[in-house]
Amino acid sequence: LNGITQGTLNPETFVIFIWVWYAIAIIIPSGYLTYAAYQIWRTGMLSLTGRTRSLTIYFFRIILVNIVFLIPYGVLLIIYITLPHRGVWKLQILGVMEWLITLQGIVSAIFSFAKPGIRKSINNIWHSVFNSIFPNTRSPNVEVVSNVDGHNSIDSGQSS
């Protein structure tokens, strides 16, 4: 790491590292998503009508987020590699690339939570964790219900 910050890193080694990173971070995920989207479309596994509508929209959002964030990241990575000198432009491009990768994860998580089944599972996990950390309190949005024998229990609105 000191070689990178002090500018003593061998430039050829750095370019090889960037291309390997590009293959791992951009080409492999994008290639797999393209292959999966093609297979789903070709076989007609998912459609926008019927029972699979929610799942189709979920996968479309994942593919869309990757396209929106990975393609600009890849273009900026190529520009970053080809710029011949060090300077402010390289740092700014590197900063934008870092923001793109960070925002991709955040936006993917937000889109994942939009699917009702995933949102319900995350909510259940949150209640379980909250109740295990604070056993004598109620987690948010949970009612305390009296049982027939007079004991209180926590009802999260789901039946077992």
Side-chain angles (χ1 to χ4, degrees), residues 106-123:
I106 294 169
V107 172
S108 293
I110 290 170
F111 279 170
S112 293
F113 296 152
K115 190 171 184 304
I118 292 176
R119 187 174 47 243
K120 182 178 178 182
S121 296
I122 295 297
N123 196 21

Side-chain angles (χ1 to χ4, degrees), residues 54-68:
S54 176
L55 194 59
T56 303
I57 292 171
Y58 174 73
F59 282 122
F60 174 73
R61 288 176 179 163
I62 291 173
I63 292 168
L64 182 68
V65 166
N66 280 290
I67 289 171
V68 166

Side-chain angles (χ1 to χ4, degrees), residues 13 25 47 54 56 64 67 74 89 109 123 125 130-131:
T13 306
S47 69
S54 176
T56 303
L64 182 68
I67 289 171
W89 284 106
N123 196 21
I125 291 170
F130 187 87
N131 290 331

Side-chain angles (χ1 to χ4, degrees), residues 15-136:
V15 169
I16 290 170
F17 167 76
I18 292 295
W19 280 114
V20 169
W21 173 253
Y22 185 74
I24 292 170
I26 305 296
I27 294 173
I28 293 172
S30 298
Y32 179 73
L33 283 173
T34 303
Y35 169 76
Y38 173 74
Q39 288 297 328
I40 290 169
W41 172 75
R42 187 178 66 83
T43 59
M45 285 191 277
L46 299 175
S47 69
L48 286 174
T49 58
R51 294 183 356 217
T52 60
R53 183 179 193 281
S54 176
L55 194 59
T56 303
I57 292 171
Y58 174 73
F59 282 122
F60 174 73
R61 288 176 179 163
I62 291 173
I63 292 168
L64 182 68
V65 166
N66 280 290
I67 289 171
V68 166
F69 286 98
L70 288 181
I71 289 177
Y73 180 86
V75 170
L76 288 174
L77 185 61
I78 291 171
I79 292 170
Y80 181 82
I81 292 171
T82 57
L83 282 178
H85 56 80
R86 286 182 234 143
V88 175
W89 284 106
K90 280 195 122 168
L91 288 175
Q92 289 175 342
I93 289 173
L94 194 60
V96 171
M97 289 166 51
E98 292 297 324
W99 273 101
L100 283 172
I101 289 299
T102 303
L103 288 175
Q104 179 197 5
I106 294 169
V107 172
S108 293
I110 290 170
F111 279 170
S112 293
F113 296 152
K115 190 171 184 304
I118 292 176
R119 187 174 47 243
K120 182 178 178 182
S121 296
I122 295 297
N123 196 21
N124 289 341
I125 291 170
W126 164 251
H127 290 305
S128 298
V129 168
F130 187 87
N131 290 331
S132 67
I133 294 172
F134 306 107
N136 295 327

